[in-house]
């Protein structure tokens, strides 16, 4: 039996769990189609080199194709979209949506799964902050329709930490240590590292920096007491603009974080994340601006904003449950199967009872939680 067991980190999904994901995915795909997005389906395997520059833990799922090329099960769905656009003549701008599986090794002992279903959007060729606002609107729609207004949108800026630390002209090791302490909100480590920094004019801000997260009003109050480094002000202005927009949406909880960790190294601007308190620390939604990603594959830069939606985590957190009519099985002898077929085609929740006897059909219906109707040449149709 062990020879056919699932590999570690993978799982089968069946019944209500799988149906909930189907219902969420169907609602989301219909929503995006109706708003002018175009569907893309990329292969589940890609060349390993596509992901080589990024730490995506893709090494666990490596395969060799018939030509001898090294491939991986895709750990990310944005990079395949970038690869597609760089190798085709699709005219930009484009609003693209996708749905598929991604494979990435979960942190050890985290309880996470190595395979996840992910949906998402890619807004390619749009340089305006309105693209970020489009992403916020989608998050708000998910919040209202699926999450009973329990979603918190967390906003940050991918370049804020590096921009401020670069201006301090620190050695590379110290700069990386400070960044990691900020990202992980490791206050004791950050304060200890800060003793090695000689920046009197910036120090009031640096001391307060790890605590600069919360509602926009709370962060503005804290910023009123310190001077923001000059190079960071335009980035902070972008962040405030998007946060103010998000905060105007009905029943939407919004926080900002001035030391937010970047989901992937290719992000260059506003970073958007969404979570609900009852989930186990996983972000349901994650994305942001990545204006330089296509430069990895072509000389021309294209502005872009993407948003990935973890369908597994969303199904776990959602208030939406599969809703369906009770199925009805139709039992009929072979000579009346034509009539049974007519009933099945007329009613969406009818199907044939796949049994050779009425007793067996009753057992099947009971197991499936279905009603049973039987056709009889003399008595017509009756419920059993």
């Amino acid at each position: 039996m062990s020879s056919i067991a699932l590999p570690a980190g993978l799982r089968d999904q069946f019944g209500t769990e799988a149906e909930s994901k189907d219902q969420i995915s169907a609602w989301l795909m219909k929503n995006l189609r109706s708003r002018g997005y175009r569907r893309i389906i990329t292969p589940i395997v890609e060349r390993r080199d596509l992901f080589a520059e990024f730490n995506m833990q893709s090494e666990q799922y490596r395969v060799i194709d018939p030509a001898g090329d090294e491939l991986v099960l895709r750990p990310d769905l944005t990079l395949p979209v970038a690869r597609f656009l760089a190798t085709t003549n699709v005219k930009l701008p484009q609003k693209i949506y996708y749905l598929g599986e991604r494979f990435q090794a979960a942190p050890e002992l985290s309880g996470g799964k190595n395979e996840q279903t992910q949906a998402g959007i890619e807004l390619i060729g749009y340089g305006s902050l309105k693209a970020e606002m489009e992403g916020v609107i989608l998050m708000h729609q998910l919040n209202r329709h699926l999450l009973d207004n329990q979603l918190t949108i967390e906003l940050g800026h991918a370049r804020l930490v590096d921009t401020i630390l670069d201006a301090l002209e620190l050695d590379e090791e110290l700069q990386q240590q400070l960044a990691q302490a900020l990202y992980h909100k490791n206050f004791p480590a950050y304060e200890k590292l800060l003793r090695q920094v000689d920046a009197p004019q910036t120090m009031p801000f640096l001391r307060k920096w790890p605590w600069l997260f919360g509602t926009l009003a709370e962060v503005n109050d804290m910023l009123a007491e310190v001077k923001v480094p000059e190079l960071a002000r335009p980035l902070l202005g972008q962040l405030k603009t998007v946060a103010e927009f998000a905060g105007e949406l009905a029943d939407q909880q919004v926080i900002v974080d001035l030391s937010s960790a970047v989901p992937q190294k290719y992000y260059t601007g506003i970073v958007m994340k969404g979570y609900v308190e009852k989930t186990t620390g996983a972000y349901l939604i994650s994305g942001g601006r990545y204006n330089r990603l296509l430069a990895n594959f072509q000389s021309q830069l294209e502005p872009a904003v993407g948003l990935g939606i973890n369908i597994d985590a969303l199904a776990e957190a959602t208030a939406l449950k599969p809703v369906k009519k009770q199925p009805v099985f139709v039992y009929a002898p072979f000579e009346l199967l034509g009539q049974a077929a007519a009933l099945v085609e007329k009613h969406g929740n009818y199907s044939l009872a796949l049994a050779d006897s009425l007793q067996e059909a009753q057992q099947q219906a009971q197991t499936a939680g279905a009603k049973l109707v039987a056709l009889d040449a003399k008595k017509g149709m009756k419920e059993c």
Side-chain angles (χ1 to χ4, degrees):
M1 186 66 179
S2 61
S3 63
I4 61 170
L6 274 176
L10 304 182
R11 61 174 175 164
D12 297 310
Q13 297 175 70
F14 177 73
T16 300
E17 181 181 16
E19 290 161 10
S20 181
K21 286 178 58 176
D22 273 353
Q23 190 178 15
I24 290 167
S25 299
W27 177 85
L28 183 58
M29 298 297 99
K30 181 179 179 181
N31 177 292
L32 294 172
R33 281 194 302 273
S34 66
R35 292 166 57 190
Y37 285 76
R38 301 183 68 186
R39 177 80 150 102
I40 187 170
I41 302 174
T42 58
I44 200 168
V45 293
E46 295 273 359
R47 292 182 183 274
R48 184 186 176 200
D49 291 346
L50 179 65
F51 309 99
E53 291 188 33
F54 307 97
N55 180 23
M56 295 188 175
Q57 298 171 295
S58 59
E59 301 300 306
Q60 186 164 348
Y61 296 103
R62 293 164 57 181
V63 296
I64 304 297
D65 75 359
D69 292 321
E70 194 168 13
L71 312 177
V72 293
L73 294 179
R74 61 187 178 201
D76 175 83
L77 280 90
T78 293
L79 285 166
V81 174
R83 185 263 308 149
F84 166 79
L85 293 172
T87 55
T88 60
N89 294 318
V90 174
K91 186 177 180 180
L92 299 179
Q94 288 285 342
K95 297 167 68 176
I96 295 170
Y97 74 99
Y98 61 80
L99 174 69
E101 302 300 303
R102 61 188 285 267
F103 297 82
Q104 191 174 108
E108 191 173 358
L109 303 179
S110 69
K113 299 300 178 182
N114 296 355
E115 178 185 5
Q116 295 178 348
T117 303
Q118 181 174 308
I121 61 171
E122 308 293 348
L123 305 170
I124 312 293
Y126 296 95
S128 169
L129 274 180
K130 291 180 180 179
E132 280 88 343
M133 294 173 180
E134 169 83 349
V136 167
I137 289 172
L138 177 58
M139 295 173 77
H140 182 58
Q141 287 183 315
L142 288 166
N143 188 24
R144 292 177 57 201
H145 187 78
L146 301 176
L147 295 167
D148 196 27
N149 294 323
Q150 297 302 304
L151 181 77
T152 297
I153 295 178
E154 177 185 320
L155 299 171
H157 199 294
R159 290 172 49 213
L160 198 56
V161 169
D162 285 344
T163 296
I164 295 173
L165 293 181
D166 284 346
L168 298 177
E169 299 182 350
L170 307 173
D171 69 75
E172 185 176 349
E173 182 179 358
L174 177 58
Q175 181 167 332
Q176 289 180 354
Q177 290 174 340
L178 280 165
Q180 290 304 311
L182 283 166
Y183 292 149
H184 296 290
K185 301 292 186 287
N186 188 339
F187 300 151
Y190 177 80
E191 291 175 357
K192 183 177 180 180
L193 291 165
L194 203 58
R195 297 171 194 156
Q196 303 177 50
V197 177
D198 182 17
Q201 292 184 337
T202 313
M203 192 57 66
F205 173 85
L206 295 178
R207 291 197 181 100
K208 192 173 287 287
W209 194 3
W211 284 269
L212 291 173
F213 63 90
T215 67
L216 183 57
E218 290 169 340
V219 171
N220 280 335
D221 286 345
M222 288 185 280
L223 287 174
E225 302 173 0
V226 295
K227 185 177 181 180
V228 176
E230 185 175 356
L231 291 176
R233 292 172 195 168
L235 310 183
L236 184 57
Q238 295 173 9
L239 182 55
K240 287 184 176 182
T241 297
V242 177
E244 288 170 358
F245 170 79
E248 292 175 357
L249 299 174
D251 300 315
Q252 183 57 67
Q253 302 171 68
V254 182
I255 65 170
V256 296
D257 186 348
L258 300 199
S259 56
S260 177
V262 182
Q264 294 293 350
K265 61 181 286 188
Y266 53 69
Y267 286 102
T268 60
I270 299 295
V271 174
M272 300 173 282
K273 303 173 186 176
Y275 65 90
V276 297
E277 294 292 345
K278 63 183 178 182
T279 57
T280 56
Y283 286 107
L284 278 62
I285 308 166
S286 180
R289 180 166 289 278
Y290 52 91
N291 284 353
R292 297 184 177 274
L293 182 59
L294 284 182
N296 287 36
F297 312 108
Q298 61 187 35
S299 58
Q300 182 178 354
L301 296 179
E302 291 290 350
V305 170
L307 204 62
I309 302 164
N310 185 330
I311 298 295
D312 297 271
L314 188 57
E316 179 183 344
T318 185
L320 183 66
K321 300 300 180 184
V323 177
K324 59 184 179 181
K325 294 181 180 179
Q326 183 180 18
V328 177
F329 289 178
V330 182
Y331 173 76
F334 279 96
E335 62 270 19
L336 296 180
L337 283 179
Q339 295 180 34
L343 282 172
V344 169
E345 292 181 357
K346 182 179 179 180
H347 301 281
N349 60 322
Y350 280 42
S351 63
L352 288 178
L354 308 179
D356 289 326
S357 70
L358 181 58
Q359 182 179 8
E360 185 183 359
Q362 289 172 327
Q363 292 174 348
Q364 291 178 359
Q366 184 177 10
T367 300
K371 289 183 179 180
L372 178 67
V373 296
L375 297 182
D376 184 274
K378 295 180 179 180
K379 299 179 180 180
M381 183 175 70
K382 65 174 182 178
E383 186 173 330
C384 299

